[in-house]
Each structure stands twice: as C-alpha cells, then as structure tokens.
C-alpha cells in the first residue's frame, strides 16, 4: 500500500483531473437546473445533489427548537384563575415523548387536553408520487419531521393537515381518510360552501426560465372529499390584474410571493361578496382582496405591515393582519421591536394597532410565521410561532392564559399555527372529536 501511495503521478493525469472536475460540476449543475426534462439522469443528479441535505438530516434533531433568546418557562398550559375562557385551542406541538408532532384539542377553561391526534402521516406520504427539487416528502416530511401545520377541525371530528406536503384528512383516531398529492403549505381554511382553500406550490414550476426550486405559488380549492377543484397561480393573478410589476420589477429570487394565508369571506360585506378571498402574499408585503369567480383583484394594499401573516375578516369593512414587522435587510432578518396585530378599515383607509401595548409588554417578536386572532371581548389569541408561545391577552397585555411549547429542560420548540375554537360556532366539531371512540 505504501509503495502504491508513493508512486509518482504523471503531470498529464493531474491536469486532466483538474479540467474534468469543473466540467463535471458544470454538467451536473446544468442537469439539476433542468432535471425534470432529463429523465433518469436528472433524477440521479437530484439524488446526488441532495446527499449533503440527507446527511445533515441524519444528525439533526427532529424537534423544532428555537435557538434565540427567550424567558425560561415550564412547558404546558397556565391561566389567570380569575378569568375563564369558554373556548378551545387546536395546537400542534412537538411531543418529545413521542419524538414527533401531535395535534391537541385543549379546553381553555382548565387546560385539559380533551383529544390528542396522532395522524398517520406516513400513510399519506406513501401515496405521494411527485418529484421536486423543493422537497423530498419521504425524507423531509415523514411522521417524525412533519409539523402538522394549521390543523382544521371539521364537523365530524376529523382534521385536515399538511406541511409543505400532501394535503390529508384524518379521523379523530388519526386514521387516514384521504390524501391529495402535491406541496400544500401554510393556512387551511373552510369556505362558505364547505370547500377548502389552501396555498399550493407547484412541485415543478410552470413559470418559464426559472430554477427548479422556484416557489411557484398558487391558490388551491379542494373539496371536503379530497378532490382538487381549482388551482390559480399567483403569477397569473397578478399578471391579469396589471400587477406583475410588483415582482417582475425586482431582482430575481426563488421565493418572490410566499402566499401564506387565504381567508374566505363567509358573508357579504361592503367591499366583498361571500366567497371572495383575502390573500396574504408575504414577500411583497401585500394583502389583496380577490374574487375567484371573475379572476379579478378588487382591492390591494402594500404596508404598513411588513412580511405579514394571518389576515382575518372582523366585520363587513375591517380586517386584521398579523404584522411580523420584520426588517429583511438586517442581519438575521430581525423584528423591528415587536410584532403587531393591525386593524385596517377599508372604508376609511385607516390602519390602527389596538394591541400594540400588549405586544410590547409581552415582547412578542416572531421573525417568521405568527398568528393573531381577535376575540369577541376585545382580547386576542396570539401565537409567537418560532418561540413556541401561545397567549390570550388583553389590548394592554394582561395574559388570560398561556401555552408554552417546551421540553423538560425548558427549551422552546416552535408551534404550527394554532386555531381558536368557539363552542357557539364549532360546538358540533368539538363534540364529535371528544366523543370519538378509538380502538
């Protein structure tokens, strides 16, 4: 062996190797860029390109730990004994004991978990057939890694889930009822006719001339039975409404839109009709009122929110917007002080921040994601997603109750878009879930 290693290497072979390495790298890069057109060679190139990611996944914890600064607090639910909340919260914490995320239905009057869902995510993924440079569902979104984003509870006690993965419906015992292949992400909302509205991302982008990992976002309508009824690309929506300049006039990025919320109008308002949609397009800091029946944008506004999430309809002329208030050009994309829950009045054009004192007092500052749900008495349920904190607070910041997602060492773990449930409107779904019998 030593004699072999000590053998002189001819200069010509060294030169040839130095020439071939960059040529091979460029060839592989070209194949990866157009992998979906390169057949088996393209699939091999993508598999090789993913090797470093796969190795990294092997050594990385599945728990979505937050690595920034936060107050050390024990995990779980606590409340102000002087305040009784009649509602429920549907949350998706990472459960260290199970080494995966679960969905919990929590009774907020006492913090009891009245139903724990452990959905069979791997059964849904086993049916997936798409290939994409954006994600490998079987590696990245299996049961151990799937965050079970924004669970939607239906009237029969079943839930609908995804995590930039196939959309799936599970019964109250976690059994798969149906799955719809593709990359579904962010919010899941029920429309007035019972259909589901979910952000969708094409596994292979339709936009010409872009890289294979371009985020080609779309609005998807899905039946309760799991049939894809409609897909409308954000790029096409902006184009037909004369707003393509909002993204085509900027430097090229892989994620120009980042559709993170679709909020259907459940009744007519002064500025919208039942079935219209409010769209939150984060990376343009854009909120748009869209009528899918005609393909027209009726109203749109950029700012004062910055890289926002979670638009909600408050009444017949006002909306709320969870404003991340993020400064993207700064190191680590830092929050400018704290998040905000803004109220915008479409009739007057004015924007207010009724909960600003509460956000400041509680130092709520999630850089990305985040949820804000205004409640009937003037309080709001706020999710500080990255820091794993969910609170109900008054406008002045009095905390009625809080839930902390943390392990036994009080290390925080991200939440995955909690939902407030009101027994007055969600009673049948709550009852069906609580009473479900699992063998």
């Amino acid at each position: 062996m030593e004699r072999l290693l000590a053998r002189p290497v001819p200069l010509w072979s060294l030169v040839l190797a130095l020439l071939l390495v960059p040529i091979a790298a460029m060839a592989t890069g070209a194949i990866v860029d157009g992998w979906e057109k390169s057949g088996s060679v393209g699939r091999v190139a993508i598999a090789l390109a993913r090797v470093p990611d796969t190795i990294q996944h092997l050594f990385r914890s599945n728990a979505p730990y937050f690595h920034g600064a936060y107050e050390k607090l024990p995990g779980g639910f606590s409340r102000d004994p002087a305040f009784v909340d009649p509602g429920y919260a549907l949350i998706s914490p990472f459960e260290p004991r199970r080494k995966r995320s679960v969905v919990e239905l929590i009774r907020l009057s006492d913090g009891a978990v009245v139903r724990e869902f452990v959905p069979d995510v791997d059964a849904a993924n086993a049916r997936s057939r798409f290939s994409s440079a954006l994600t490998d569902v079987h590696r990245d979104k299996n049961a151990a890694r799937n965050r079970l984003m924004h669970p939607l509870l239906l009237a029969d006690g079943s839930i609908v889930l995804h995590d930039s993965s196939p959309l799936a419906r599970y019964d109250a015992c976690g059994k798969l009822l149906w799955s719809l292949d593709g990359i579904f992400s962010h919010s899941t909302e029920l429309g007035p006719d019972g259909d589901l509205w979910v952000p969708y991302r094409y596994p292979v982008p339709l936009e010409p001339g872009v890289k294979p990992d371009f985020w080609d976002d779309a609005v998807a309508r899905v039946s309760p039975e799991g049939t894809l009824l409609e897909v409308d690309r954000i790029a096409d929506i902006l184009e037909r409404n004369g707003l393509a300049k909002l993204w085509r006039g900027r430097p090229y990025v892989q994620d120009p839109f980042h559709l993170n919320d679709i909020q259907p109008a459940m009744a007519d308002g002064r500025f919208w009709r039942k079935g219209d949609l409010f769209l939150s397009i984060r990376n343009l800091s854009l909120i748009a009122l869209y009528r899918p029946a005609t393909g027209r944008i009726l109203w749109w506004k950029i700012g004062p929110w910055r890289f926002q999430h979670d638009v909600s309809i408050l009444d017949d002329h006002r909306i709320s917007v969870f404003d991340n208030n993020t400064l993207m050009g700064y190191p680590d994309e830092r929050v400018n002080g704290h998040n905000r829950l803004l109220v915008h009045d479409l009739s007057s054009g004015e924007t207010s921040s009724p909960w600003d004192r509460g956000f400041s007092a509680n130092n709520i500052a999630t850089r990305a994601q985040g949820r804000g749900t205004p409640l009937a008495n003037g309080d709001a349920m706020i999710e500080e997603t990255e820091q794993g904190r969910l609170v109900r607070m008054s406008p002045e910041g009095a905390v009625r109750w809080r839930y902390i997602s943390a392990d036994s060492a009080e290390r925080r773990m991200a939440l995955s878009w909690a939902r407030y449930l009101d027994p007055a409107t969600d009673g049948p779904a709550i009852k069906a879930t609580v009473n479900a019998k699992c063998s």
Side-chain angles (χ1 to χ4, degrees):
M1 176 63 71
E2 290 181 7
R3 186 179 302 171
L4 181 63
L5 293 174
R7 219 177 212 180
V9 178
L11 181 60
W12 67 265
S13 61
L14 181 60
V15 172
L16 182 61
L18 292 173
L19 289 173
L20 288 177
V21 167
I23 292 172
M26 288 187 288
T28 302
I31 292 171
V32 168
D33 273 353
W35 71 273
E36 73 279 4
K37 301 174 184 176
S38 303
S40 58
V41 175
R43 288 190 291 274
V44 169
I46 281 291
L48 290 173
R50 284 176 174 157
V51 167
D53 287 338
T54 301
I55 293 172
Q56 184 184 40
H57 273 72
L58 292 175
F59 294 98
R60 190 176 69 189
S61 169
N62 294 333
Y65 284 115
F66 177 65
H67 298 290
Y70 53 87
E71 181 185 4
K72 287 280 190 177
L73 293 169
F77 182 87
S78 62
R79 71 180 184 91
D80 176 355
F83 182 87
V84 177
D85 190 328
Y88 292 72
L90 195 63
I91 66 172
S92 305
F94 187 88
E95 173 52 64
R97 179 175 54 87
R98 294 184 181 272
K99 298 182 179 179
R100 58 162 292 169
S101 293
V102 298
V103 177
E104 295 178 347
L105 180 63
I106 296 180
R107 186 171 58 216
L108 297 172
S109 60
D110 59 4
V113 177
V114 296
R115 169 66 65 179
E116 181 184 71
F117 296 83
V118 187
D120 191 356
V121 170
D122 291 334
N125 289 350
R127 301 180 180 183
S128 178
R129 295 292 179 267
F130 76 83
S131 294
S132 175
L134 290 165
T135 188
D136 181 330
V137 165
H138 306 284
R139 182 197 68 190
D140 303 332
K141 303 299 178 181
N142 59 22
R145 293 186 171 90
N146 196 297
R147 288 183 56 198
L148 311 180
M149 288 291 295
H150 204 209
L152 175 67
L153 186 66
L154 300 181
D156 65 349
S158 63
I159 55 172
V160 179
L161 296 164
H162 58 69
D163 180 21
S164 296
S165 64
L167 185 70
R169 182 174 176 177
Y170 306 88
D171 68 15
C173 302
K175 180 182 177 182
L176 179 67
L177 299 176
W178 55 254
S179 65
L180 181 58
D181 206 10
I183 301 176
F184 294 86
S185 66
H186 296 91
S187 70
T188 303
E189 296 291 357
L190 201 63
D193 56 0
D195 288 338
L196 310 173
W197 291 95
V198 193
Y200 177 77
R201 188 167 301 134
Y202 285 92
V204 178
L206 301 187
E207 185 66 26
V210 299
K211 296 179 181 179
D213 56 348
F214 180 85
W215 291 25
D216 203 346
D217 286 351
V219 174
R221 182 166 66 98
V222 179
S223 76
E225 295 74 35
T227 300
L228 185 63
L229 302 174
E230 178 182 348
V231 181
D232 201 351
R233 293 175 67 233
I234 294 298
D236 292 339
I237 292 172
L238 295 177
E239 184 76 43
R240 80 171 72 103
N241 287 278
L243 297 176
K245 60 186 178 184
L246 295 180
W247 77 281
R248 294 194 185 277
R250 298 184 175 193
Y252 176 84
V253 294
Q254 296 296 87
D255 181 15
F257 312 117
H258 204 106
L259 175 66
N260 59 31
D261 195 14
I262 303 171
Q263 186 64 55
M266 304 301 284
D268 290 349
R270 295 189 208 173
F271 301 91
W272 55 81
R273 295 178 189 165
K274 181 178 177 180
D276 290 348
L277 308 172
F278 278 96
L279 307 179
S280 171
I281 302 175
R282 188 197 77 165
N283 284 359
L284 298 178
S285 293
L286 172 67
I287 300 291
L289 174 58
Y290 179 62
R291 180 161 292 164
T294 63
R296 308 308 303 175
I297 289 177
L298 309 176
W299 170 92
W300 61 277
K301 184 171 176 56
I302 293 177
W305 39 80
R306 286 195 288 257
F307 304 100
Q308 77 290 333
H309 288 73
D310 193 17
V311 55
S312 300
I313 298 171
L314 300 182
D315 50 34
D316 69 350
H317 64 288
R318 295 184 306 153
I319 59 173
S320 69
V321 178
F322 184 90
D323 176 20
N324 289 83
N325 198 20
T326 304
L327 302 174
M328 286 292 193
Y330 280 67
D332 301 321
E333 302 178 0
R334 71 174 177 86
V335 175
N336 185 24
H338 55 78
N339 303 139
R340 303 183 296 179
L341 183 57
L342 303 179
V343 172
H344 182 76
D345 188 328
L346 272 71
S347 60
S348 68
E350 295 180 354
T351 304
S352 59
S353 187
W355 296 272
D356 196 69
R357 288 173 60 190
F359 274 80
S360 178
N362 290 291
N363 191 30
I364 295 170
T366 183
R367 176 195 57 85
Q369 304 186 66
R371 308 287 295 171
T373 305
L375 300 174
N377 73 334
D379 289 353
M381 186 180 81
I382 306 299
E383 179 182 298
E384 190 183 32
T385 303
E386 292 184 320
Q387 290 89 325
R389 178 168 55 156
L390 182 70
V391 300
R392 175 174 179 153
M393 70 177 192
S394 71
E396 295 75 26
V399 175
R400 315 296 194 187
W401 54 256
R402 77 175 182 220
Y403 178 91
I404 300 294
S405 174
D407 64 15
S408 58
E410 299 185 358
R411 294 181 299 172
R412 296 280 188 93
M413 297 175 288
L415 289 169
S416 300
W417 297 30
R419 195 185 300 267
Y420 186 88
L421 302 179
D422 187 337
T425 53
D426 302 302
I430 295 168
K431 184 177 180 180
T433 303
V434 173
N435 293 339
K437 304 298 181 184
C438 302
S439 56

